[in-house]
Amino acid sequence: MIVGNGEVGEGDAGIIDVADFVIRFNDCRSYGAGGSRTDAVAVCNTGRPAKAMLGSREWRTHSGVVSAREIWSVRDPKKFAAMRAPLAVSHPDLDDFCDDYTDAFSAFCAETGKTHVVIDTSLHEAVDASLSAFAPAPYVVPSSGMIVIAEVLNTYADAEVTLAGFGHAGWEWHPFAAERQLVDSYIAVGRLRRLGGKMLISSSHGA
């Protein structure tokens, strides 16, 4: 179960909490209305979001973060180091976007007995390639949600994967329209389902 920070349907919390593995994002805004089980927290490990989380006692002591066994850093430091110079030209306002806090998340995991997963550049580039089929407007990076969906489908090929709280809206430099189309294409062939949405293929086919 991948639970985004968008609206979660009334009554869906119980369904989320009985999943085998629940992934939430950043400050776990879905926690509560979207259930409480949290096995992994996927974080933006660069830029302002990373700095804010690591500097926040509230984040470090959040029940979802505390209960998670894994922290997933969605931004490979090598990829974002390479993006710094081009972004300085194309988006000078994003001057701290590539500041890397991966080591600090590793230290946090070491202190708290969690596993730290860093999603590889190759996965990010595969997502870019998949999105290109939908002719997205110029964007900076895919959303954390899209990266995590791809990582789960790639790593847990036989799992039944369900999404909740995905509105495909937010920061202007994520390609949300193309991401919605890509997710819908995965749903159409039975690789994903949306919680509360109609199943288009029997779950017995796996994900």
Side-chain angles (χ1 to χ4, degrees):
M1 187 74 66
I2 306 174
V3 189
N5 284 331
E7 185 176 347
V8 176
E10 188 175 342
D12 287 345
I15 300 170
I16 291 168
D17 279 347
V18 297
D20 293 325
F21 196 86
V22 178
I23 305 166
R24 301 184 192 274
F25 292 86
N26 289 325
D27 56 3
C28 296
R29 266 176 282 162
S30 63
Y31 192 94
S36 59
R37 176 163 185 166
T38 310
D39 297 284
V41 178
V43 299
C44 290
N45 50 302
T46 70
R48 293 165 211 172
K51 185 176 182 180
M53 282 183 280
L54 289 163
S56 166
R57 184 178 181 279
E58 184 179 357
W59 181 80
R60 289 171 176 267
T61 59
H62 187 287
S63 297
V65 174
V66 170
S67 64
R69 304 192 307 271
E70 301 179 4
I71 300 292
W72 292 14
S73 287
V74 302
R75 296 175 170 176
D76 188 323
K78 298 188 298 294
K79 171 77 174 175
F80 281 72
M83 290 172 59
R84 185 181 292 275
L87 276 178
V89 176
S90 64
H91 297 78
D93 54 317
L94 300 181
D95 57 326
D96 57 355
F97 184 75
C98 297
D99 290 357
D100 180 44
Y101 295 89
T102 308
D103 287 348
F105 280 108
S106 290
F108 171 73
C109 289
E111 292 164 10
T112 54
K114 303 183 192 302
T115 299
H116 188 208
V117 176
V118 181
I119 297 177
D120 191 75
T121 297
S122 60
L123 193 285
H124 185 128
E125 291 173 350
V127 170
D128 284 333
S130 297
L131 288 168
S132 69
F134 303 99
Y139 65 95
V140 174
V141 289
S143 70
S144 298
M146 195 68 244
I147 295 292
V148 167
I149 289 168
E151 174 72 4
V152 169
L153 293 178
N154 185 57
T155 306
Y156 303 102
D158 296 326
E160 180 181 324
V161 184
T162 303
L163 306 182
F166 273 77
H168 303 292
W171 191 50
E172 63 180 315
W173 295 115
H174 290 322
F176 282 118
E179 289 186 7
R180 179 185 290 276
Q181 290 176 281
L182 180 57
V183 167
D184 285 347
S185 75
Y186 290 150
I187 291 170
V189 297
R191 298 192 72 198
L192 283 176
R193 60 170 290 195
R194 291 187 196 274
L195 189 58
K198 187 174 71 170
M199 285 287 290
L200 298 180
I201 190 167
S202 167
S203 61
S204 64
H205 286 73

